[in-house]
Structures are given as C-alpha cells and as structure tokens.
C-alpha cells in the first residue's frame, strides 16, 4: 500500500507591504521656523504636533502645538531635518498637504496648502476639509 498523506503545501510568500505615502511635506521656510521653535522652547520638545479640530465658521481649523513626546499612534513625518507628529484622526484630512511659513508686517503663521480643503471662511481662521480619496 502507498502512503496517502498529502504533501505539505509549499509556503506562499506574503507580498511586501506597499510603502505608505508621506502625509505632509514642509517648505524650507516651515522647516527653518520649526527648527527655530524647537531650539527656543522652554522645555524639551521632539517636534510639532499637527492636527485638526472642529470649530470656526467653516467647520474645522488646523492645530499646531509643541510635542513633548511621540505617542504610539502618531504619524511621524521627518522632512528637512525636523519632525512633525500628525494626530492619527487628522491623517486622512492632511494627506498631500504642504506646510509653509509666511511672515509679513501684520502676521506670521504656518500656512497649509491642502488639496483636501474644499472651502474656507472669510476671516481665514477655519476651513472645510474632506477626507482624501485613497
């Protein structure tokens, strides 16, 4: 009699995961300002945390704050020698965004050139965003 045990299946190699796109990019001006803020901070910071909050006339606004630590859920973006930590709830709204920094006689601020922005209020404080289509 012959042995009827099936041959063990040949292991199938898992496909390599697709590289994830970088959520945001920085202009040189933004990177220089972030580096300056990091050096001038009163306490140790690892970078800036960027997110989105609900509110304002158009419905949402960008948030930028010092990041004292990297949270396990943060999307870490390293560009031009500085670090941005993106709030995981904001990733789909910020995909493809370029963060810039502008200073003139009346104001100095980070500017978000976001392809997912569908509208903005007249005062410039809030925006309407839609999730990126992947």
């Amino acid at each position: 009699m012959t042995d009827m045990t099936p041959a063990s299946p040949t292991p199938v190699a898992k496909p390599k995961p697709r590289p994830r796109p970088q959520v945001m990019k920085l202009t040189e001006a933004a990177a220089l300002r972030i580096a300056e803020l990091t050096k001038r901070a009163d306490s140790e910071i690892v970078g800036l945390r960027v997110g989105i909050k609900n509110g304002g006339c158009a419905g949402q606004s960008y948030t930028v704050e010092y990041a004292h630590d990297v949270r396990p859920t943060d999307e870490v973006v390293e560009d031009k020698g500085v670090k941005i930590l993106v709030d995981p709830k904001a990733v789909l709204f910020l995909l493809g965004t370029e963060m810039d920094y502008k200073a003139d006689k009346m104001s100095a601020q980070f500017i978000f050139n976001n392809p997912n922005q569908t509208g903005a209020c007249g005062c410039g404080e809030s925006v309407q965003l839609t999730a990126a289509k992947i």
Side-chain angles (χ1 to χ4, degrees):
M1 260 188 160
T2 60
D3 187 10
M4 300 298 278
T5 57
S8 61
T10 306
V12 178
K14 286 185 177 179
K16 291 184 179 180
R18 240 179 9 172
R20 292 172 54 172
Q22 184 170 313
V23 176
M24 295 176 61
K25 293 181 180 167
L26 302 172
T27 64
E28 286 295 331
L32 287 171
R33 181 63 177 158
I34 292 167
E36 182 182 311
L37 289 171
T38 302
K39 289 177 189 166
R40 287 187 0 190
D42 293 338
S43 60
E44 184 71 27
I45 64 169
V46 295
L48 292 185
R49 182 167 281 110
V50 176
I52 295 173
K53 68 177 181 177
N54 291 332
C57 359
Q60 297 165 306
S61 58
Y62 297 104
T63 62
V64 179
E65 61 188 19
Y66 289 130
H68 298 282
D69 59 346
V70 178
R71 297 174 186 157
T73 56
D74 284 337
E75 183 76 27
V76 179
V77 175
E78 294 187 59
D79 193 13
K80 297 177 179 56
V82 297
K83 192 179 290 188
I84 297 291
L85 307 171
V86 180
D87 180 350
K89 294 177 282 200
V91 168
L92 281 178
F93 295 99
L94 294 174
L95 272 174
T97 298
E98 178 187 65
M99 186 174 172
D100 195 6
Y101 179 75
K102 302 267 185 200
D104 59 29
K105 291 179 184 179
M106 299 297 287
S107 68
Q109 62 185 341
F110 286 107
I111 306 292
F112 294 87
N113 299 312
N114 187 341
N116 307 305
Q117 184 173 319
T118 57
C121 66
C123 65
E125 292 294 319
S126 64
V127 294
Q128 289 176 323
L129 301 170
T130 58
K133 293 178 174 72
I134 301 177

